[in-house]
Amino acid sequence: MKQLLLNLNPFRASSSNQTTTHFVQRSKMMEYDQALVWVTLILMVFGMVMVYSASISLPDSPKYANYKNNHFLVRQAMFVTVSILASFIVFRLRVEDWQKLAPYLFVATLVLLVLVLIPGIGKGVNGAKRWISLKVFNVQPSEMMKLFMVLYAADYTVRKQEFMHKLTKGFLPMMITVAVLGLLLLLEPDLGAFGVIVCIAMGILFLGGINGIWFGGIAAALVGIFTSVILLSPWRRERIFAYLNPFEEDNALGKAYQLTHSLIAFGRGEILGVGLGASVEKLHYLPEAHTDFLLAVIGEELGFIGVAVVIYLFYWIVKRAFEIGRQAIVLDATFAGLTAKGIGIWIGIQTFINMGVNLGLLPTKGLTLPLMSYGGSGVLINCIGLTLLLRIDYENRLMMRGGRI
């Protein structure tokens, strides 16, 4: 009878259909960003495959003689699994909770950066003390600081919004904080991480409406500081000059050794690559092939096509981060919007530097390729950062439908 009345009343039927359509649209709006999840998973799984390919021959060398051929694959799989499990927990935290925790997380990580420098606590690898050993795996505080700088800078900008055009109350306190952080990172030393963190802080302050004149002046001052650090450090200066002419004999056998073999790898790969697993450069010619120079192995084995696909996937993540951030700001969620854009800056800058180093566009610097290079701290923090981005998008969709967070 009810269906019969609906059929006889066109206005009632139309209303019912509109309600059904509205419900379907609302359901679709409430879904999470599946594309972001899939792109992240694809990069992590592809990274595992390439880490295995790049590290399979390492046990042939004396340094890794006690390792099995699949040692780095098993550990990377463990890191990815832990990262995915952590993401389920992180996604349940509201963005508001992250804003409350931001100052405490920043200070706690600052303390860890101090502990790294204490003999007996900090662990050194290749002349740099950047890790704290927890027996099962090593924690790298500088990786954690990249995410927590995003949160802290976004929270600082929101709290100091009315003072952002004032030097003493708005800009200066943040710059003093970054300077202290930079000093700790340079003592490790980790100039690459410091560069990424400075870009994150400056980018968020710029997006938050900092005075343009002061921003330009401080940016120029930072360029001068980085230049001075390089010029006053003989080994950094030698590395810069070697990068400018890598195939000169002394450079090719010295400071530019990694760069020359990375370029050879890309040259061998050409358009389609030599085939998965068929790299020659990973056979003890290219150092750190499974970490900093993973892209070179991808270029050799999968060619220009493989590298182009990786570049596009990272471009898509950065573009999506800025879209999510812009939507959050439109919804008056300023902290969420600045955090989303900060995550985009972080992933984008680190990816650009790593790829630039591999391709010879930038001087050699110890930065990994996000989500893909071997390393527990890096993969975990990258995954947590992108999960936070996913949560921001989820809350955006919730607010657009009038729901409660």
Side-chain angles (χ1 to χ4, degrees):
M1 180 62 71
K2 183 178 180 180
Q3 185 63 41
L4 179 61
L5 290 173
L6 286 173
N7 292 336
L8 291 175
N9 188 342
F11 297 102
R12 182 70 177 272
S14 174
S15 176
S16 176
N17 290 335
Q18 288 176 359
T19 302
T20 302
T21 303
H22 177 73
F23 178 77
V24 171
Q25 289 175 346
R26 178 174 178 178
S27 297
K28 288 182 178 179
M29 180 71 76
M30 301 291 276
E31 292 177 356
Y32 60 91
D33 191 335
Q34 296 184 22
L36 180 59
V37 174
W38 280 111
V39 169
T40 302
L41 288 174
I42 287 170
L43 284 171
M44 287 196 296
V45 173
F46 182 43
M48 268 199 309
V49 173
M50 295 313 302
V51 164
Y52 180 49
S53 177
S55 65
I56 193 171
S57 63
L58 286 180
D60 296 337
S61 68
K63 183 179 178 180
Y64 300 103
N66 296 326
Y67 289 58
K68 295 182 180 179
N69 289 336
N70 64 349
H71 171 82
F72 292 99
L73 170 64
V74 171
R75 288 185 63 83
Q76 187 74 351
M78 180 184 72
F79 298 148
V80 168
T81 302
V82 170
S83 300
I84 292 173
L85 292 176
S87 296
F88 285 104
I89 299 172
V90 169
F91 186 76
R92 299 184 65 85
L93 292 174
R94 299 175 302 170
V95 177
E96 181 184 353
D97 297 329
W98 282 106
Q99 185 172 6
K100 293 176 181 177
L101 291 171
Y104 304 104
L105 293 171
F106 181 84
V107 172
T109 310
L110 206 61
V111 171
L112 291 178
L113 286 173
V114 174
L115 293 177
V116 165
L117 301 174
I118 299 176
I121 298 179
K123 181 181 178 181
V125 177
N126 295 331
K129 297 184 72 172
R130 302 175 185 173
W131 296 267
I132 296 176
S133 177
L134 297 180
K135 303 302 181 183
V136 179
F137 65 95
N138 298 323
V139 174
Q140 190 173 356
S142 59
E143 287 292 336
M144 299 166 60
M145 184 54 81
K146 293 170 187 175
L147 172 59
F148 298 148
M149 173 53 80
V150 170
L151 296 171
Y152 180 76
D155 176 58
Y156 179 89
T157 303
V158 172
R159 286 189 289 109
K160 300 285 187 177
Q161 191 63 54
E162 60 182 307
F163 302 114
M164 291 304 286
H165 287 280
K166 297 181 179 180
L167 179 62
T168 55
K169 292 185 178 180
F171 199 60
L172 194 58
M174 188 64 176
M175 286 303 97
I176 293 174
T177 302
V178 173
V180 172
L181 177 59
L183 178 61
L184 293 173
L185 289 171
L186 290 176
L187 289 174
E188 292 186 2
D190 196 348
L191 185 62
F194 180 42
V196 173
I197 289 170
V198 166
C199 289
I200 291 170
M202 294 290 289
I204 291 177
L205 288 175
F206 177 77
L207 294 171
I210 195 69
N211 184 289
I213 296 175
W214 292 335
F215 180 86
I218 296 296
L222 286 171
V223 171
I225 291 171
F226 275 101
T227 303
S228 299
V229 168
I230 292 170
L231 293 177
L232 294 174
S233 176
W235 65 272
R236 286 195 178 102
R237 189 170 62 249
E238 290 174 8
R239 182 176 286 184
I240 291 289
F241 290 135
Y243 142 79
L244 294 174
N245 188 16
F247 286 101
E248 195 271 327
E249 185 176 355
D250 290 338
N251 293 336
L253 297 175
K255 294 294 184 182
Y257 180 82
Q258 282 180 301
L259 176 56
T260 54
H261 282 279
S262 177
L263 295 176
I264 290 170
F266 283 111
R268 291 192 75 247
E270 297 184 344
I271 302 297
L272 299 176
V274 297
L276 185 62
S279 167
V280 170
E281 285 300 317
K282 71 184 181 185
L283 303 177
H284 312 296
Y285 293 104
L286 178 62
E288 308 300 333
H290 60 304
T291 56
D292 301 349
F293 284 85
L294 188 67
L295 188 71
V297 178
I298 295 173
E300 185 178 3
E301 296 189 350
L302 303 178
F304 171 79
I305 300 300
V307 173
V309 169
V310 173
I311 292 174
Y312 174 76
L313 292 176
F314 278 110
Y315 160 77
W316 188 91
I317 287 177
V318 174
K319 177 174 175 288
R320 186 72 187 113
F322 274 82
E323 290 172 349
I324 292 171
R326 185 166 57 249
Q327 185 63 61
I329 291 173
V330 168
L331 295 169
D332 203 28
T334 307
F335 172 78
L338 291 175
T339 298
K341 291 184 177 183
I343 292 170
I345 293 171
W346 162 32
I347 299 296
I349 289 294
Q350 184 163 334
T351 301
F352 173 76
I353 292 175
N354 176 272
M355 291 183 173
V357 167
N358 276 253
L359 292 166
L361 302 175
L362 297 171
T364 304
K365 199 74 238 122
L367 278 177
T368 56
L369 188 60
L371 296 171
M372 298 185 69
S373 291
Y374 174 79
S377 296
V379 173
L380 177 62
I381 296 300
N382 295 155
C383 202
I384 289 175
L386 291 174
T387 302
L388 176 55
L389 180 63
L390 188 69
R391 175 71 195 193
I392 294 170
D393 177 67
Y394 172 78
E395 293 190 7
N396 285 351
R397 298 179 186 216
L398 205 58
M399 287 188 286
M400 283 190 287
R401 297 310 308 159
R404 290 186 177 182
I405 299 172

